[in-house]
Amino acid sequence: MTDATITQDRRSPLHDEHVALGATLTSFAGWQMPLRYTSDLAEHTAVRTAAGLFDLSHMAEIVVTGPDAGAFLDGALVGHASAIRLLGAKYTMICAPDGGVIDDLVVYHLAPERYLVVANASNHDPVLAALQERAAGLDVVVDDQSAATALVAVQGPRALEIVLAAGIELADDEVTALKYYACLPFTFAGRPALLARTGYTGEDGFEFYVAADDAPVLWRRLLEVGAPLGLVPAGLSARDSLRLEAGMPLYGNELDRTTTPHDAGLGRVVALGKTGADGLPVPFVGREALEARAAAEPTRVLVGLQGLGRRAARHGYPVLAGPDQVVGTVTSGAPSPTLGHPIAMAYVHPSVAAEGTQLDVDVRGRPEPVRVVALPFYRRPR
């Protein structure tokens, strides 16, 4: 990557904080974001044992309001958005008419006629365009708040202690009682903000949605109160290894326009049974294709691979059932800092997808032994 490439990228409202902390910056989805501050291993380990602080301000935040907001999202997304409880959240997807995934999303139900849709940075434009197109004729407003919003995440077993210590304008018992995939509105620096118990690391954690101008104050406060508890700033590299251990898909790796939710083992997010106010099935975009896909035998299966050697598989490496017999492709792979051996996710032919199946991955021309295992690779202690 060239300096010129980085210079052209957008900057997070926390850019100066990252520079002051000595972060290594990288170009990611059109943004200049921190890759790491110290070392990938140290930041990954801190999240598993204490806590990490992430800047996710590159993500897209799209607010949907209006009398038809719930019904609109039911028709635009594969999930049943109108059934999300108030101040609840749901992982879902927006698909094309052929069932291919445009993006995976988190939707928050903020008020009876108000939802927040959070999309990946790389898919900001296609998601916004699809929502605007699908809103035609409905009493709904699709408002892109991405540029005005910063997203800061505290993830790790000590996340709750750190959020309580930050002294935000929420009662301690409200924060403590906040359930996973739920949110609370609050005021930060005199402006509306949102605290959500969501994340992408496999750990307990919280995400703060605040005005972009307020992000540096929040970032410094969290670092100040969190450092004695083990909190460290963590970059994109640690975020990727953490989400891989947690078996969470990454758009562009496990998900894309050629992949349906069912291909990725996520058919459960497709609410084929959702009905509208008239009691009839909701004709959401992609419904016919996804119904057909749900009824069909799979042609590929997303599996976990445990490396039995030392070398890690990487995105795009062929999966082999014998010499020159390609049975799949690795979508994500890396050494697992927590487990101590290489791990990967891969799409493979159903005939070799059973747990325990011994396969190889072609790692730069040499076969590396792997075993099919269940996902996720890591579950946090309860």
Side-chain angles (χ1 to χ4, degrees), residues 106-132:
V106 175
V107 177
Y108 298 90
H109 192 179
L110 304 179
E113 297 180 358
R114 184 177 179 86
Y115 294 80
L116 170 64
V117 178
V118 181
N120 287 297
S122 59
N123 288 324
H124 170 274
D125 291 350
V127 170
L128 180 62
L131 290 176
Q132 290 172 331

Side-chain angles (χ1 to χ4, degrees), residues 64-71 81-82 84-87 109-115:
V64 177
T65 56
D68 292 340
S82 65
I84 303 173
R85 68 187 186 281
L86 281 177
L87 301 182
H109 192 179
L110 304 179
E113 297 180 358
R114 184 177 179 86
Y115 294 80

Side-chain angles (χ1 to χ4, degrees), residues 129-151:
L131 290 176
Q132 290 172 331
E133 178 183 348
R134 295 172 191 187
L138 297 174
D139 191 357
V140 65
V141 175
V142 177
D143 183 13
D144 180 16
Q145 287 291 314
S146 305
T149 306
L151 175 53

Side-chain angles (χ1 to χ4, degrees), residues 9-380:
D9 288 333
R10 296 179 63 183
R11 293 183 172 184
S12 158
L14 292 166
H15 177 82
D16 291 346
E17 306 299 317
H18 304 321
V19 171
L21 289 166
T24 299
L25 299 170
T26 188
S27 180
F28 180 78
W31 289 73
Q32 190 175 350
M33 298 299 291
L35 183 64
R36 68 182 65 84
Y37 300 84
T38 56
S39 80
D40 299 344
L41 178 60
E43 292 166 21
H44 182 111
T45 302
V47 175
R48 289 280 181 251
T49 60
L53 183 62
F54 296 87
D55 175 15
L56 308 178
S57 299
H58 56 303
M59 302 287 283
E61 292 87 11
I62 301 167
V63 176
V64 177
T65 56
D68 292 340
F72 157 65
L73 290 174
D74 285 345
L77 312 180
V78 301
H80 199 177
S82 65
I84 303 173
R85 68 187 186 281
L86 281 177
L87 301 182
K90 195 171 190 64
Y91 176 77
T92 186
M93 296 184 187
I94 182 169
C95 288
D98 66 359
V101 178
I102 297 174
D103 200 9
D104 58 336
L105 314 164
V106 175
V107 177
Y108 298 90
H109 192 179
L110 304 179
E113 297 180 358
R114 184 177 179 86
Y115 294 80
L116 170 64
V117 178
V118 181
N120 287 297
S122 59
N123 288 324
H124 170 274
D125 291 350
V127 170
L128 180 62
L131 290 176
Q132 290 172 331
E133 178 183 348
R134 295 172 191 187
L138 297 174
D139 191 357
V140 65
V141 175
V142 177
D143 183 13
D144 180 16
Q145 287 291 314
S146 305
T149 306
L151 175 53
V152 174
V154 182
Q155 297 283 300
R158 306 200 75 172
L160 175 59
E161 293 174 77
I162 293 164
V163 173
L164 294 176
I168 60 173
E169 294 181 25
L170 281 170
D172 285 0
D173 58 352
E174 289 183 285
V175 177
T176 301
L178 186 62
K179 295 185 180 302
Y180 189 52
Y181 264 68
C183 61
L184 282 172
F186 73 108
T187 300
F188 185 79
R191 292 194 273 195
L194 187 73
L195 176 68
R197 202 161 195 168
T198 46
Y200 193 56
T201 63
E203 296 294 339
D204 187 18
F206 296 84
E207 295 183 318
F208 292 84
Y209 295 85
V210 300
D213 293 346
D214 298 332
V217 173
L218 174 65
W219 178 268
R220 291 178 210 137
R221 182 183 298 181
L222 290 168
L223 277 180
E224 180 183 1
V225 302
L229 299 172
L231 177 74
V232 302
L236 292 175
S237 184
R239 188 167 184 256
D240 190 51
S241 56
L242 290 158
R243 73 90 195 166
L244 176 57
E245 287 185 343
M248 296 179 175
L250 175 66
Y251 198 91
N253 289 39
E254 285 73 39
L255 300 172
D256 59 27
R257 290 291 188 104
T258 70
T259 305
T260 70
H262 300 83
D263 295 326
L266 295 168
R268 63 183 181 278
V269 309
V270 181
L272 293 173
K274 62 182 171 182
T275 55
D278 55 5
L280 298 174
V282 174
F284 62 87
V285 178
R287 175 164 201 139
E288 291 184 3
L290 292 171
E291 281 182 328
R293 174 62 185 82
E297 291 295 324
T299 58
R300 56 178 179 158
V301 178
L302 185 67
V303 299
L305 299 177
Q306 175 186 344
L308 304 178
R310 299 183 61 182
R311 297 185 305 160
R314 301 292 184 180
H315 174 80
Y317 286 7
V319 180
L320 309 172
D324 300 322
Q325 185 182 354
V326 177
V327 292
T329 304
V330 172
T331 52
S332 300
S336 167
T338 305
L339 304 175
H341 57 71
I343 57 174
M345 289 195 282
Y347 279 110
V348 300
H349 191 274
S351 63
V352 298
E355 290 180 33
T357 302
Q358 301 278 335
L359 299 169
D360 292 310
V361 173
D362 184 340
V363 179
R364 295 189 294 276
R366 291 174 52 190
E368 192 74 14
V370 296
R371 177 169 53 227
V372 177
V373 297
L375 292 170
F377 301 102
Y378 166 85
R379 292 184 189 275
R380 66 184 171 93

